[in-house]
Short mmCIF file of all heavy atoms in Angstrom, two decimals:
data_model
loop_
_atom_site.label_atom_id
_atom_site.label_comp_id
_atom_site.label_asym_id
_atom_site.label_seq_id
_atom_site.Cartn_x
_atom_site.Cartn_y
_atom_site.Cartn_z
N ILE A 84 -39.67 -30.65 -18.38
CA ILE A 84 -40.59 -30.78 -17.24
C ILE A 84 -39.83 -31.28 -16.01
O ILE A 84 -40.01 -30.79 -14.90
CB ILE A 84 -41.75 -31.73 -17.61
CG1 ILE A 84 -42.56 -31.13 -18.76
CG2 ILE A 84 -42.64 -32.00 -16.40
CD1 ILE A 84 -43.52 -32.09 -19.44
N ARG A 85 -38.93 -32.25 -16.25
CA ARG A 85 -38.17 -32.84 -15.14
C ARG A 85 -37.27 -31.82 -14.44
O ARG A 85 -37.18 -31.77 -13.23
CB ARG A 85 -37.29 -33.97 -15.70
CG ARG A 85 -36.63 -34.85 -14.64
CD ARG A 85 -35.60 -35.81 -15.25
NE ARG A 85 -36.03 -36.46 -16.48
CZ ARG A 85 -36.80 -37.54 -16.52
NH1 ARG A 85 -37.23 -38.08 -15.42
NH2 ARG A 85 -37.13 -38.07 -17.68
N ARG A 87 -37.27 -28.34 -14.74
CA ARG A 87 -37.73 -26.99 -14.41
C ARG A 87 -37.90 -26.89 -12.89
O ARG A 87 -38.28 -27.83 -12.24
CB ARG A 87 -39.04 -26.61 -15.12
CG ARG A 87 -40.25 -27.34 -14.58
CD ARG A 87 -41.51 -26.53 -14.48
NE ARG A 87 -41.54 -25.53 -13.46
CZ ARG A 87 -41.60 -25.76 -12.14
NH1 ARG A 87 -41.57 -27.00 -11.65
NH2 ARG A 87 -41.66 -24.77 -11.30
N ARG A 88 -37.51 -25.76 -12.35
CA ARG A 88 -37.66 -25.54 -10.91
C ARG A 88 -38.25 -24.16 -10.71
O ARG A 88 -38.05 -23.25 -11.51
CB ARG A 88 -36.30 -25.58 -10.16
CG ARG A 88 -35.57 -26.90 -10.16
CD ARG A 88 -35.96 -27.82 -9.00
NE ARG A 88 -37.25 -28.46 -9.15
CZ ARG A 88 -37.52 -29.55 -9.90
NH1 ARG A 88 -36.57 -30.15 -10.56
NH2 ARG A 88 -38.72 -30.04 -9.95
N SER A 89 -38.94 -23.99 -9.60
CA SER A 89 -39.40 -22.65 -9.22
C SER A 89 -38.17 -21.81 -8.90
O SER A 89 -37.29 -22.26 -8.16
CB SER A 89 -40.27 -22.74 -7.97
OG SER A 89 -41.41 -23.51 -8.23
N VAL A 90 -38.12 -20.62 -9.46
CA VAL A 90 -36.96 -19.76 -9.23
C VAL A 90 -37.37 -18.60 -8.32
O VAL A 90 -38.40 -17.96 -8.54
CB VAL A 90 -36.41 -19.25 -10.59
CG1 VAL A 90 -35.35 -18.17 -10.39
CG2 VAL A 90 -35.81 -20.43 -11.36
N ARG A 91 -36.57 -18.40 -7.27
CA ARG A 91 -36.86 -17.31 -6.31
C ARG A 91 -35.65 -16.39 -6.14
O ARG A 91 -35.63 -15.56 -5.24
CB ARG A 91 -37.26 -17.90 -4.96
CG ARG A 91 -38.50 -18.78 -4.99
CD ARG A 91 -38.85 -19.32 -3.63
NE ARG A 91 -40.00 -20.22 -3.66
CZ ARG A 91 -39.97 -21.52 -3.93
NH1 ARG A 91 -38.81 -22.11 -4.20
NH2 ARG A 91 -41.06 -22.25 -3.92
N PHE A 165 -41.48 -10.38 -0.25
CA PHE A 165 -42.04 -11.70 0.06
C PHE A 165 -42.72 -12.34 -1.15
O PHE A 165 -42.68 -13.55 -1.33
CB PHE A 165 -43.06 -11.55 1.20
CG PHE A 165 -43.74 -12.83 1.56
CD1 PHE A 165 -43.11 -13.79 2.34
CD2 PHE A 165 -45.05 -13.08 1.12
CE1 PHE A 165 -43.75 -14.97 2.66
CE2 PHE A 165 -45.69 -14.27 1.45
CZ PHE A 165 -45.04 -15.21 2.23
N PHE A 166 -43.34 -11.52 -2.02
CA PHE A 166 -44.11 -12.09 -3.13
C PHE A 166 -43.30 -12.18 -4.42
O PHE A 166 -43.39 -13.17 -5.13
CB PHE A 166 -45.36 -11.23 -3.39
CG PHE A 166 -46.32 -11.26 -2.25
CD1 PHE A 166 -46.30 -10.28 -1.27
CD2 PHE A 166 -47.25 -12.29 -2.13
CE1 PHE A 166 -47.19 -10.32 -0.22
CE2 PHE A 166 -48.14 -12.34 -1.08
CZ PHE A 166 -48.10 -11.35 -0.11
N PHE A 168 -39.78 -11.43 -4.93
CA PHE A 168 -38.36 -11.80 -4.86
C PHE A 168 -37.46 -10.92 -5.74
O PHE A 168 -36.53 -11.43 -6.37
CB PHE A 168 -38.18 -13.29 -5.22
CG PHE A 168 -38.90 -14.22 -4.29
CD1 PHE A 168 -40.21 -14.62 -4.55
CD2 PHE A 168 -38.29 -14.68 -3.14
CE1 PHE A 168 -40.88 -15.48 -3.69
CE2 PHE A 168 -38.96 -15.54 -2.26
CZ PHE A 168 -40.26 -15.94 -2.54
N LYS A 181 -60.93 -20.40 -13.89
CA LYS A 181 -59.57 -20.51 -13.39
C LYS A 181 -58.72 -21.51 -14.21
O LYS A 181 -57.54 -21.27 -14.47
CB LYS A 181 -59.62 -20.96 -11.92
CG LYS A 181 -58.27 -20.97 -11.25
CD LYS A 181 -58.37 -21.25 -9.78
CE LYS A 181 -56.96 -21.26 -9.21
NZ LYS A 181 -56.93 -21.52 -7.79
N ILE A 185 -54.91 -21.09 -15.69
CA ILE A 185 -53.79 -21.96 -15.28
C ILE A 185 -53.12 -22.59 -16.50
O ILE A 185 -51.89 -22.73 -16.54
CB ILE A 185 -54.31 -23.07 -14.32
CG1 ILE A 185 -54.81 -22.45 -13.01
CG2 ILE A 185 -53.24 -24.11 -14.06
CD1 ILE A 185 -53.74 -21.99 -12.07
N GLN A 189 -49.10 -22.26 -17.61
CA GLN A 189 -48.10 -23.31 -17.86
C GLN A 189 -47.43 -23.11 -19.22
O GLN A 189 -46.21 -23.25 -19.34
CB GLN A 189 -48.74 -24.70 -17.76
CG GLN A 189 -47.72 -25.81 -17.79
CD GLN A 189 -46.62 -25.63 -16.73
OE1 GLN A 189 -46.90 -25.67 -15.54
NE2 GLN A 189 -45.40 -25.37 -17.15
N GLU A 192 -45.00 -20.36 -18.90
CA GLU A 192 -43.77 -20.76 -18.22
C GLU A 192 -42.80 -21.43 -19.22
O GLU A 192 -41.61 -21.15 -19.24
CB GLU A 192 -44.04 -21.72 -17.06
CG GLU A 192 -42.72 -22.16 -16.42
CD GLU A 192 -42.85 -23.09 -15.23
OE1 GLU A 192 -43.56 -24.10 -15.32
OE2 GLU A 192 -42.20 -22.81 -14.22
N VAL A 202 -38.99 -18.89 -13.56
CA VAL A 202 -40.37 -18.51 -13.25
C VAL A 202 -40.77 -19.03 -11.88
O VAL A 202 -40.35 -20.11 -11.47
CB VAL A 202 -41.34 -19.12 -14.31
CG1 VAL A 202 -42.78 -18.74 -14.02
CG2 VAL A 202 -40.95 -18.69 -15.71
N LEU A 203 -41.56 -18.24 -11.18
CA LEU A 203 -42.22 -18.72 -9.96
C LEU A 203 -43.71 -18.51 -10.11
O LEU A 203 -44.15 -17.42 -10.49
CB LEU A 203 -41.72 -17.96 -8.73
CG LEU A 203 -42.47 -18.30 -7.44
CD1 LEU A 203 -42.11 -19.69 -6.95
CD2 LEU A 203 -42.19 -17.28 -6.35
N PHE A 204 -44.48 -19.55 -9.84
CA PHE A 204 -45.94 -19.40 -9.75
C PHE A 204 -46.21 -18.85 -8.35
O PHE A 204 -45.90 -19.54 -7.37
CB PHE A 204 -46.64 -20.76 -9.88
CG PHE A 204 -46.86 -21.25 -11.27
CD1 PHE A 204 -45.91 -21.09 -12.25
CD2 PHE A 204 -48.04 -21.91 -11.61
CE1 PHE A 204 -46.11 -21.56 -13.54
CE2 PHE A 204 -48.26 -22.38 -12.89
CZ PHE A 204 -47.30 -22.21 -13.86
N SER A 205 -46.77 -17.68 -8.23
CA SER A 205 -47.04 -17.15 -6.89
C SER A 205 -48.51 -17.32 -6.51
O SER A 205 -49.35 -16.49 -6.86
CB SER A 205 -46.64 -15.68 -6.76
OG SER A 205 -46.99 -15.24 -5.46
N GLY A 206 -48.76 -18.40 -5.80
CA GLY A 206 -50.13 -18.64 -5.28
C GLY A 206 -50.45 -17.61 -4.22
O GLY A 206 -51.60 -17.17 -4.11
N PHE A 207 -49.45 -17.19 -3.44
CA PHE A 207 -49.68 -16.23 -2.37
C PHE A 207 -50.16 -14.89 -2.93
O PHE A 207 -51.13 -14.31 -2.46
CB PHE A 207 -48.40 -15.99 -1.55
CG PHE A 207 -48.11 -17.07 -0.55
CD1 PHE A 207 -46.80 -17.33 -0.15
CD2 PHE A 207 -49.13 -17.83 0.01
CE1 PHE A 207 -46.51 -18.31 0.79
CE2 PHE A 207 -48.86 -18.82 0.96
CZ PHE A 207 -47.55 -19.06 1.34
N PHE A 208 -49.46 -14.39 -3.98
CA PHE A 208 -49.90 -13.10 -4.52
C PHE A 208 -51.28 -13.24 -5.16
O PHE A 208 -52.13 -12.34 -5.06
CB PHE A 208 -48.91 -12.50 -5.52
CG PHE A 208 -49.39 -11.15 -5.98
CD1 PHE A 208 -49.20 -10.03 -5.19
CD2 PHE A 208 -50.11 -11.02 -7.16
CE1 PHE A 208 -49.72 -8.79 -5.56
CE2 PHE A 208 -50.63 -9.79 -7.55
CZ PHE A 208 -50.43 -8.67 -6.75
N THR A 209 -51.51 -14.38 -5.81
CA THR A 209 -52.81 -14.62 -6.46
C THR A 209 -53.92 -14.54 -5.41
O THR A 209 -54.97 -13.93 -5.62
CB THR A 209 -52.79 -16.01 -7.14
OG1 THR A 209 -51.64 -16.06 -7.99
CG2 THR A 209 -54.03 -16.26 -7.95
N ALA A 231 -56.05 -15.94 -11.76
CA ALA A 231 -55.93 -17.41 -11.82
C ALA A 231 -54.53 -17.82 -11.37
O ALA A 231 -54.35 -18.84 -10.71
CB ALA A 231 -56.19 -17.89 -13.24
N MET A 232 -53.54 -17.03 -11.72
CA MET A 232 -52.16 -17.32 -11.31
C MET A 232 -51.30 -16.07 -11.53
O MET A 232 -51.66 -15.19 -12.32
CB MET A 232 -51.60 -18.50 -12.10
CG MET A 232 -50.27 -19.06 -11.65
SD MET A 232 -49.96 -19.05 -9.87
CE MET A 232 -51.13 -20.23 -9.23
N THR A 233 -50.21 -16.00 -10.80
CA THR A 233 -49.27 -14.90 -10.95
C THR A 233 -47.91 -15.48 -11.30
O THR A 233 -47.42 -16.36 -10.58
CB THR A 233 -49.17 -14.11 -9.63
OG1 THR A 233 -50.48 -13.70 -9.24
CG2 THR A 233 -48.26 -12.90 -9.77
N PHE A 243 -29.66 -25.01 -10.96
CA PHE A 243 -29.99 -26.31 -10.39
C PHE A 243 -29.21 -27.39 -11.14
O PHE A 243 -29.17 -27.41 -12.36
CB PHE A 243 -31.50 -26.55 -10.48
CG PHE A 243 -32.29 -25.57 -9.66
CD1 PHE A 243 -33.03 -24.57 -10.27
CD2 PHE A 243 -32.28 -25.63 -8.28
CE1 PHE A 243 -33.75 -23.65 -9.52
CE2 PHE A 243 -32.99 -24.72 -7.51
CZ PHE A 243 -33.72 -23.73 -8.13
N VAL A 247 -35.08 -33.29 -8.93
CA VAL A 247 -35.42 -33.59 -7.54
C VAL A 247 -36.35 -34.82 -7.53
O VAL A 247 -36.99 -35.11 -8.53
CB VAL A 247 -36.11 -32.40 -6.83
CG1 VAL A 247 -35.19 -31.20 -6.79
CG2 VAL A 247 -37.42 -32.04 -7.52
N ARG A 249 -39.48 -37.16 -6.70
CA ARG A 249 -40.92 -37.02 -6.54
C ARG A 249 -41.48 -38.38 -6.16
O ARG A 249 -40.83 -39.41 -6.36
CB ARG A 249 -41.57 -36.54 -7.86
CG ARG A 249 -41.21 -35.10 -8.23
CD ARG A 249 -41.91 -34.12 -7.33
NE ARG A 249 -41.65 -32.74 -7.71
CZ ARG A 249 -40.94 -31.87 -6.99
NH1 ARG A 249 -40.37 -32.27 -5.86
NH2 ARG A 249 -40.80 -30.63 -7.38
C1 FMN B 301 -50.16 -23.32 -7.91
C2 FMN B 301 -48.83 -23.03 -7.27
C3 FMN B 301 -48.70 -21.96 -6.38
C4 FMN B 301 -47.45 -21.67 -5.80
N1 FMN B 301 -47.32 -20.59 -4.98
C5 FMN B 301 -46.11 -20.25 -4.46
C6 FMN B 301 -45.93 -19.06 -3.67
O1 FMN B 301 -46.85 -18.29 -3.44
N2 FMN B 301 -44.69 -18.80 -3.17
C7 FMN B 301 -43.63 -19.62 -3.41
O2 FMN B 301 -42.52 -19.32 -2.94
N3 FMN B 301 -43.75 -20.75 -4.15
C8 FMN B 301 -44.97 -21.08 -4.70
N4 FMN B 301 -45.11 -22.20 -5.51
C9 FMN B 301 -43.94 -23.05 -5.78
C10 FMN B 301 -44.05 -24.42 -5.10
O3 FMN B 301 -43.72 -24.28 -3.74
C11 FMN B 301 -43.07 -25.35 -5.82
O4 FMN B 301 -43.57 -25.58 -7.12
C12 FMN B 301 -42.89 -26.71 -5.15
O5 FMN B 301 -42.30 -26.54 -3.88
C13 FMN B 301 -42.00 -27.63 -5.96
O6 FMN B 301 -40.75 -27.03 -6.24
P1 FMN B 301 -40.28 -26.87 -7.76
O7 FMN B 301 -41.31 -25.99 -8.45
O8 FMN B 301 -38.94 -26.22 -7.70
O9 FMN B 301 -40.24 -28.23 -8.36
C14 FMN B 301 -46.34 -22.49 -6.10
C15 FMN B 301 -46.48 -23.56 -7.00
C16 FMN B 301 -47.69 -23.82 -7.59
C17 FMN B 301 -47.81 -24.97 -8.56
#
Side-chain angles (χ1 to χ4, degrees):
I84 297 166
R85 190 189 317 279
R87 71 141 288 290
R88 295 272 76 80
S89 298
V90 170
R91 299 181 183 85
F165 178 78
F166 295 94
F168 299 91
K181 186 173 179 180
I185 295 285
Q189 189 54 65
E192 178 179 50
V202 180
L203 173 72
F204 277 40
S205 177
F207 281 153
F208 182 80
T209 306
M232 189 35 68
T233 305
F243 296 108
V247 299
R249 292 287 184 248

